[in-house]
Structure formats: structure tokens, C-alpha cells
């Protein structure tokens, strides 16, 4: 019996993951060590590229199912119903209206204001789902937030 695992929008045999692990980790950690400007919030990008490069190096093929995952970002899409899942990656932006999860590292986002009426369906769905979720999480925003720190700033060395 074959065993499959399925992270975001991929299905792969466990045996293939086992083949990938050492090369994937090696490539991702090497890329991290060689990156002069490290942003902890974006380490997943290096892991993603490490996965892709390891798979290529080991000749493990991936099949892409175009309707499996919607990544509408930007101005959005109108045909959201043809996809199985909605993957929020890129910030929605319509004219002067925009929203970004990147503004809310380590703090709760407030309810999202409605986008313009001419907005594509995927952005309307995103705003609706996010607001519904925030309104239904008991105590949303009530928990004390951790101290904020600057993002995208290279760490400085302490002077000795």
C-alpha cells in the first residue's frame, strides 16, 4: 500500500519525501547561511526553493493541477468557484483599497473594510471569510499582544 502526504497543493509519496529530506534541508540551510539580509518572516521562501531545487536534483516530478488552488492576489479573479481551495499569498489591491497580512505581524488585524463594489469576487470572498472568522473567534484581539519589533531589518551586532 502506498502512503501519500499532501501539504499545500501537492500530493507526494512518503518514499519521495524521504528521498528529498536531506537534500532539501541542505539546500535551504545553505541558502539561509549565504543570505546577507535575513528576514525570519520569509524563511519559508528559502525552504520552498530548497524543495524545488532538491526535487529537480533528484528527478522527482511534480504534477500541477491548475484548478486545485486559487492564488488570486492583486486585483483578484472572478471565477473562484472553479478552484478547490483559496490560498492567500499575495495582497489584494483595488485602486486605493488594499490589505496586507504583512502589516499585522505579532498583532491582531482589525475587521477589514469593504473593498470597492467593482472588486472581483475573490477579494470580496476573502474579506467576507476573514471578517467572519475574526467575528467568530472568542476574545479576538483581547489577548495582550507581544511587543512589536521592526520588520525587514537586518540584525545588528552588539558592540563589545
Amino acid at each position: 500500500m502506498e502512503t501519500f502526504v499532501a501539504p499545500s497543493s501537492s500530493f507526494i509519496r512518503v518514499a519521495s519525501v524521504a528521498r528529498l529530506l536531506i537534500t532539501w534541508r541542505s539546500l535551504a540551510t545553505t541558502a539561509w547561511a549565504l543570505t546577507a539580509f535575513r528576514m525570519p518572516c520569509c524563511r519559508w521562501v528559502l525552504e520552498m526553493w530548497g524543495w524545488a531545487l532538491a526535487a529537480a536534483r533528484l528527478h522527482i516530478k511534480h504534477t500541477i493541477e491548475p484548478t486545485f488552488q486559487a492564488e488570486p492576489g492583486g486585483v483578484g479573479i472572478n471565477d473562484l468557484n472553479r478552484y478547490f481551495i483559496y490560498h492567500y499569498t499575495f495582497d489584494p489591491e483595488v485602486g486605493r483599497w488594499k490589505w496586507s497580512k504583512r502589516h499585522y505581524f505579532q498583532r491582531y488585524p482589525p475587521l477589514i473594510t469593504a473593498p470597492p463594489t467593482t472588486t472581483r469576487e475573490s477579494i470580496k470572498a476573502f474579506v467576507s471569510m476573514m471578517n467572519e472568522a475574526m467575528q467568530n473567534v472568542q476574545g479576538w484581539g483581547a489577548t495582550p499582544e507581544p511587543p512589536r519589533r521592526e520588520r525587514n531589518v537586518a540584525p545588528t551586532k552588539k558592540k563589545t
Side-chain angles (χ1 to χ4, degrees):
M1 181 171 115
E2 292 184 289
T3 305
F4 292 88
V5 294
S8 180
S9 66
S10 67
F11 296 94
I12 188 168
R13 289 178 179 84
V14 171
S16 294
V17 173
R19 284 183 51 213
L20 277 166
L21 287 179
I22 293 172
T23 306
W24 175 24
R25 180 180 174 148
S26 174
L27 290 169
T29 49
T30 300
W32 183 254
L34 296 174
T35 304
F37 185 68
R38 294 186 184 104
M39 296 183 294
C41 66
C42 299
R43 188 169 188 160
W44 66 269
V45 175
L46 297 176
E47 292 171 0
M48 179 182 65
W49 281 103
W51 177 275
L53 293 170
R57 188 177 281 182
L58 298 170
H59 306 286
I60 295 175
K61 295 181 180 181
H62 290 69
T63 301
I64 297 170
E65 172 52 56
T67 61
F68 185 71
Q69 175 174 286
E71 291 188 33
V75 297
I77 57 175
N78 279 324
D79 59 346
L80 191 58
N81 289 335
R82 73 186 188 107
Y83 296 94
F84 292 96
I85 62 174
Y86 183 124
H87 181 69
Y88 167 56
T89 302
F90 305 106
D91 302 334
E93 185 173 341
V94 182
R96 296 179 69 180
W97 182 96
K98 57 180 89 172
W99 193 85
S100 177
K101 64 184 177 186
R102 291 154 186 89
H103 295 172
Y104 300 101
F105 283 113
Q106 297 188 356
R107 62 190 176 118
Y108 293 96
L111 292 177
I112 304 171
T113 59
T117 56
T118 57
T119 300
R120 292 186 177 167
E121 292 305 313
S122 64
I123 295 175
K124 291 177 186 176
F126 170 76
V127 171
S128 174
M129 289 186 287
M130 286 291 290
N131 284 340
E132 180 182 353
M134 288 186 276
Q135 290 168 337
N136 286 292
V137 172
Q138 187 175 4
W140 180 262
T143 305
E145 297 174 358
R148 294 194 66 195
R149 60 175 196 227
E150 292 297 316
R151 296 185 299 114
N152 300 341
V153 176
T156 57
K157 292 182 180 179
K158 292 183 178 181
K159 294 180 182 178
T160 56

